[in-house]
Amino acid sequence: MTDVVVIGAGPAGAVAALRAADLGARTTLVTCSGFGGMAANDGPVPVRTLAHAARLIRDVQQLGQYGIAVGELMLDYSRLLARVRGVVSDVLAHSSLREQLDSAGVTIHERAGAARFADPHTIVTETGLLLQADKMIICVGGVGRRLPIPGFEFTSTHSSAFSLTEVPPTMLVIGGGATGVQVASIFNAFGSRVELFETGPRILSGEDEDIAAAVATAFREAGIVVHENFGSIDSFEKTSAGVQMNFSKNSERDSAEATLAVVAAGWVANTAELNLGGLGVLTDHRGFVKVDDYLRTSVPNIFAAGDVTGRLMLVPPALQQGFVASTNAVLGPTVRLEESVNTSAGFTHPEYASAGLTETKARETHDVVTAVIHFDSTIRTIIDGRKVGFCKLIVDRKTAKILGCHVAGERAVEIAQVAAIAISAGLRVDDLARVPLAFPTYTGNLADAAASAARQLELHVGCQAPENAMSR
């Protein structure tokens, strides 16, 4: 029997295994498929590669504004998918985590098939591998939610993009969360006529309302048909042209048809095969494992980390949870999972990103000041011809500390990450406004927003570079 078995080799599992080994535990890491989990093989890495191709297309379309003439733009989708596969392979081949795991002496079993608990200390995989350990850490992630709707088998997931032979002329995307909007944006750039459907009142329901509104407006201007609060789906049907979705609202029936229907309606835990119920490990209605502040499950020797817990389903929290779960598995309950500032992002057009609290959430517990810098009036965005978007800061009036930052537009992710550092460091807006950033830059717009908020609070910030061309 080994000391620790980690099930799943995504970000949470890899960090959990490395942490356990660093603490001196004999550690085994087992994964259903390849190393890297969804993040490397089916999520951010391949999706971001497709999004980069979409960006290149948009960049080429902009060249005429700068007097640059090029020939007819053509997309070879099969070559693009070959590039995606190459990127994934390159990322995995150069994974520093994999190198560190090997150096730390972690035993790794890849492509072992689904694991199943025989008892709290034993798992058996589909390939017949039997592993026993004193402590178990579940890091199996999540999978796309299947809808209990007639004809659902005629739909596809975002992963289907990796097996297409060509770009579909038309596409329905069902689900306006992060995955759905990225799929819609990417294939719109590739030339598909896209309709995006969201049952809720707005797409990107977890983002700040201004972000959701800006992305929806930009999508519509780009030709994506955005249906919000469209009703409920009755069924899917196979047609000669592709797939038809039948839906209704207030007793009125309607339908939409396309070559491909991609469903991105949220996630469930990838725990169906684990036999958690037989062990007494408590889960919720979507299979997410219930854990305490130390990431212990209801069975004392079993821990869980990452997307399988159903908390923030992002890579940075998964890394943090893997570290915490493994530390407590090896040393006992010594480290609580602390709330931290996380940056969420979407590689759409326009990009969007957030750090900290939304304005609505912040107003529940704080008296706030907001400052918004619009990209149609800032120097770098004017230079680059990327004038769609804004940077918004949310600041506590009493302490002048930053509570949240929300950005839509070019380099949104990079701007929000700088804000996340400022929030984590407890910087006041006047402190941030005094940081001497390079000029002219996108991040300079963050300092400009900070200076605007500081002025509202009657705080002296001195002189800043004139990032905002219209207010200086």
Side-chain angles (χ1 to χ4, degrees), residues 46 51 139 187 214 242 324 342 381 393 398 413:
C139 304
F187 280 91
V324 170
N342 290 294
T381 56
L393 278 184
K398 181 179 179 181
V413 180

Side-chain angles (χ1 to χ4, degrees), residues 407-421:
V407 190
E410 190 77 356
R411 313 289 174 88
V413 180
E414 309 307 327
I415 297 170
Q417 289 188 137
V418 175
I421 295 171

Side-chain angles (χ1 to χ4, degrees), residues 212-414:
V215 173
T217 297
F219 274 20
R220 291 182 173 112
E221 291 176 352
I224 300 173
V225 180
V226 180
H227 304 272
E228 295 169 311
N229 196 25
F230 74 92
S232 59
I233 304 170
D234 300 318
S235 65
F236 293 96
E237 301 176 15
K238 187 69 176 172
T239 67
S240 58
V243 181
Q244 177 174 299
M245 181 179 73
N246 302 306
F247 57 96
S248 57
K249 181 179 181 181
N250 300 328
S251 301
E252 294 187 9
R253 296 176 61 84
D254 202 347
S255 65
E257 185 176 355
T259 309
L260 192 71
V262 175
V263 176
W267 299 89
V268 296
N270 189 23
T271 53
E273 305 294 328
L274 282 176
N275 185 36
L276 297 183
L279 300 180
V281 174
L282 297 179
T283 60
D284 68 12
H285 66 287
R286 286 191 175 184
F288 291 116
V289 179
K290 295 184 178 182
V291 292
D292 63 13
D293 290 342
Y294 299 96
L295 298 180
R296 296 176 297 193
T297 72
S298 52
V299 175
N301 74 297
I302 301 177
F303 294 72
D307 288 359
V308 76
T309 66
R311 299 188 177 195
L312 282 174
M313 301 178 76
L314 301 167
V315 171
L319 297 172
Q320 180 191 24
Q321 289 181 34
F323 182 91
V324 170
S326 190
T327 300
N328 293 326
V330 176
L331 301 180
T334 57
V335 180
R336 288 179 179 269
L337 182 66
E338 301 291 342
E339 291 295 329
S340 60
V341 178
N342 290 294
T343 305
S344 64
F347 298 102
T348 53
H349 182 64
E351 284 187 359
Y352 67 88
S354 299
L357 300 177
T358 65
E359 183 175 345
T360 298
K361 197 69 177 176
R363 290 189 183 280
E364 292 178 2
T365 52
H366 298 266
D367 180 15
V368 305
V369 166
T370 63
V372 180
I373 299 299
H374 294 280
F375 283 8
D376 62 358
S377 62
T378 61
I379 294 174
R380 181 58 186 272
T381 56
I382 293 173
I383 292 171
D384 290 358
R386 300 296 187 188
K387 299 192 294 182
V388 173
F390 62 88
C391 173
K392 178 169 80 170
L393 278 184
I394 303 160
V395 181
D396 181 79
R397 186 182 297 275
K398 181 179 179 181
T399 65
K401 290 187 176 182
I402 303 165
L403 301 174
C405 175
H406 306 278
V407 190
E410 190 77 356
R411 313 289 174 88
V413 180
E414 309 307 327

Side-chain angles (χ1 to χ4, degrees), residues 6 13-23 27 96-97 100-101 104 106 326:
V6 180
V15 168
L18 182 61
R19 175 61 172 166
D22 285 345
L23 291 173
T27 306
S96 60
L97 271 176
Q100 292 173 62
L101 287 165
V106 175
S326 190

Side-chain angles (χ1 to χ4, degrees), residues 428-431 433-434 451 454-455 457-464:
R428 290 161 46 109
V429 283
D430 49 334
D431 294 329
R434 294 190 189 100
R455 285 193 295 273
L457 295 172
E458 299 182 348
L459 299 172
H460 177 69
V461 295
C463 296
Q464 283 75 44

